[in-house]
């Protein structure tokens, strides 16, 4: 792997941008270390939530931040070369990344990096996405089919998926640990992680989205009444094998889908509630024909002139990036 010394400020700026990546409950379960000309990515066990059995959500989040880093560094003129799980005895060490120069940074590189700043998780109802076939073609060309599969939920299967979302809620009705954790990560404090109330929806808004996670509701005035019920198209990202590398790959694919959608002017909402319980995971698997579904994405359009909530907060860079002293 190339070991080009990149100026510290370039790495810091790229990691800062990459950390806009989505993560489970905005936990940001990652840690970056610059060492010997490489950038190392670790999953941070202190930020894996207790109900995230097997750390899947954290790994998907790390995959998303890894792909965001690739995009951020490309816009700065450096191609990332990723060595996955370079240390077989350390599963927390997700990747080592070396860099080589890109001869010309194109408008495409810059647009993709700009999309990182515009993307956000939108939990309100969407209008149907226009030009879906073209979007789907772009996504399929961009994703790594060796480790992940992408399926589109047909209109025929949509109601079954909505039933799976309701079933997830029913199965968790008495799951105190799950609810305590969600309340913690959505508590309305001024912090640099978790989901702020400005990013959540009211009960009436949530009722118009048939496939979503039930969060504590907010009491804002009902928004997007003109859209009516959600008309999004839903993608399912599945792992090819039940191994860390492929779960991480689902996070990279998630990043690709979200950034492609943002560049196409589409709104997105990441969902994993239906893949967290075995019964509903099996329902999703039966619909797609892929046995290891990990993450779903609602894709659609949001009214262009709407007021957008503030970006969700992130931890300071000094907490997530460290320069190793030789
Ligand atoms: C692995 C993973 C699982 C997620 N699951 C859900 C979910 O089930 N429902 C939801 O509304 N958002 C979900 N999200 C979105 C996060 O809550 C969101 O990324 C985080 O709060 C940061 O906000 P932002 O995406 O607007 O920057 C998930 C994100 C990731 C990466």
């Amino acid at each position: 792997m190339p070991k080009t010394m990149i100026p510290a400020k370039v790495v810091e700026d790229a990691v800062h941008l990459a950390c806009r990546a989505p993560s489970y409950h905005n936990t940001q379960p990652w840690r970056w270390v610059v060492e010997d000309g490489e950038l190392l990515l670790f999953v941070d066990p202190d930020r894996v939530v207790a109900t995230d059995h097997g750390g899947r959500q954290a790994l998907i989040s790390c995959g998303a931040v890894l792909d965001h880093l690739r995009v951020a560094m490309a816009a700065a003129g450096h191609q990332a070369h990723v060595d996955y799980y370079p240390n077989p005895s350390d599963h927390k060490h997700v990747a080592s990344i070396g860099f080589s120069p890109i001869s010309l940074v194109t408008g495409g590189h810059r647009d993709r990096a700009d999309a990182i700043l515009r993307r956000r998780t939108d939990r309100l109802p969407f209008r149907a996405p226009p030009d879906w076939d073209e979007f789907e073609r772009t996504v399929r060309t961009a994703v790594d089919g060796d480790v992940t599969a992408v399926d589109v939920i047909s209109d025929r299967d949509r109601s079954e998926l909505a039933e799976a979302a309701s079933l997830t809620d029913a199965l968790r009705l008495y799951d105190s640990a799950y609810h305590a954790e969600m309340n913690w990560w959505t508590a309305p404090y001024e912090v640099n992680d978790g989901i702020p109330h400005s990013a959540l929806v009211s009960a009436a808004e949530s009722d118009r989205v048939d496939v979503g996670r039930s969060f504590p509701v907010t009491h804002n005035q009902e928004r997007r009444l003109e859209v009516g019920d959600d008309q999004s198209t839903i993608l399912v990202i599945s792992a090819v094998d039940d191994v860390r590398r492929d779960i991480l790959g689902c996070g990279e694919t998630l990043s690709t889908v979200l950034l492609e959608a943002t560049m196409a002017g589409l709104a997105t909402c990441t969902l994993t509630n239906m893949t967290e319980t075995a019964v509903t995971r099996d329902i999703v698997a039966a619909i797609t024909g892929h046995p290891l579904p990990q993450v779903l994405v609602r894709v659609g359009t949001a009214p262009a002139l709407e007021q957008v909530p503030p970006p969700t907060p992130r931890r300071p860079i000094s907490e997530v990036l460290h320069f190793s002293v030789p």
Side-chain angles (χ1 to χ4, degrees):
M1 187 185 335
K3 285 195 178 182
T4 313
M5 292 312 253
I6 310 282
K9 180 78 175 102
V10 172
V11 177
E12 187 176 319
D13 287 350
V15 170
H16 191 247
L17 182 59
C19 289
R20 291 301 317 159
S23 62
Y24 183 63
H25 290 357
N26 200 16
T27 47
Q28 306 158 60
W30 45 65
R31 199 164 58 80
W32 300 93
V33 177
V34 177
E35 187 178 278
D36 191 21
E38 286 184 332
L39 179 60
L40 319 184
L41 172 62
F42 295 86
V43 64
D44 183 344
D46 293 340
R47 301 192 67 83
V48 179
V49 301
T51 56
D52 179 10
H53 306 296
R56 274 172 198 268
Q57 310 273 7
L59 258 192
I60 296 169
S61 307
C62 282
V65 85
L66 175 58
D67 187 62
H68 270 46
L69 185 278
R70 202 184 263 128
V71 171
M73 281 301 275
H78 304 279
Q79 188 185 348
H81 304 271
V82 180
D83 187 6
Y84 295 94
Y85 288 104
N87 182 352
S89 59
D90 183 0
H91 295 315
K92 293 191 289 299
H93 186 172
V94 167
S96 290
I97 310 152
F99 301 97
S100 62
I102 290 177
S103 52
L104 180 72
V105 176
T106 66
H109 290 120
R110 278 190 289 269
D111 286 352
R112 216 175 178 75
D114 285 348
I116 291 180
L117 289 175
R118 289 201 315 280
R119 182 212 63 82
R120 67 185 186 90
T121 302
D122 185 336
R123 298 180 177 88
L124 288 166
F126 298 153
R127 287 205 177 95
D131 306 326
W132 178 261
D133 290 348
E134 193 186 327
F135 175 68
E136 188 181 332
R137 240 190 329 272
T138 310
V139 165
R140 290 197 184 284
T141 313
V143 304
D144 180 353
D146 287 344
V147 296
T148 61
V150 176
D151 294 286
V152 180
I153 299 293
S154 67
D155 292 345
R156 192 170 35 98
D157 293 327
R158 174 70 176 240
S159 53
E160 203 179 340
L161 192 65
E163 278 169 30
S166 304
L167 181 58
T168 312
D169 287 345
L171 289 168
R172 281 180 152 161
L173 211 51
Y174 302 103
D175 186 343
S176 306
Y178 170 77
H179 288 285
E181 211 153 56
M182 187 146 67
N183 287 343
W184 167 266
W185 288 105
T186 55
Y189 310 131
E190 268 298 304
V191 282
N192 51 35
D193 54 15
I195 309 178
H197 277 199
S198 56
L200 296 176
V201 294
S202 69
E205 289 165 341
S206 161
D207 282 349
R208 290 191 279 129
V209 179
D210 57 347
V211 180
R213 185 191 292 271
S214 298
F215 283 104
V217 292
T218 57
H219 301 284
N220 53 282
Q221 218 182 355
E222 196 170 355
R223 293 161 290 179
R224 278 196 207 154
L225 278 167
E226 71 280 23
V227 171
D229 291 338
D230 184 49
Q231 301 146 47
S232 64
T233 297
I234 298 180
L235 285 167
V236 182
I237 302 168
S238 303
V240 168
D241 286 315
D242 198 9
V243 293
R244 285 190 180 83
R245 168 68 190 93
D246 291 12
I247 308 295
L248 185 77
C250 288
E252 294 176 283
T253 295
L254 172 66
S255 165
T256 300
V257 168
L258 298 178
L259 296 183
E260 287 294 350
T262 306
M263 286 191 291
L266 298 171
T268 53
C269 182
T270 302
L271 296 165
T272 51
N273 50 328
M274 285 151 287
T275 59
E276 290 163 18
T277 66
V279 177
T280 51
R281 194 165 52 240
D282 288 350
I283 294 173
V284 179
I287 292 173
T288 62
H290 285 106
L292 299 167
Q294 302 299 319
V295 53
L296 289 78
V297 189
R298 246 178 359 103
V299 183
T301 51
L305 296 175
E306 189 180 77
Q307 202 181 351
V308 178
T312 51
R314 291 295 184 270
R315 301 162 69 202
I317 190 82
S318 56
E319 272 187 26
V320 294
L321 172 65
H322 301 279
F323 290 85
S324 156
V325 183

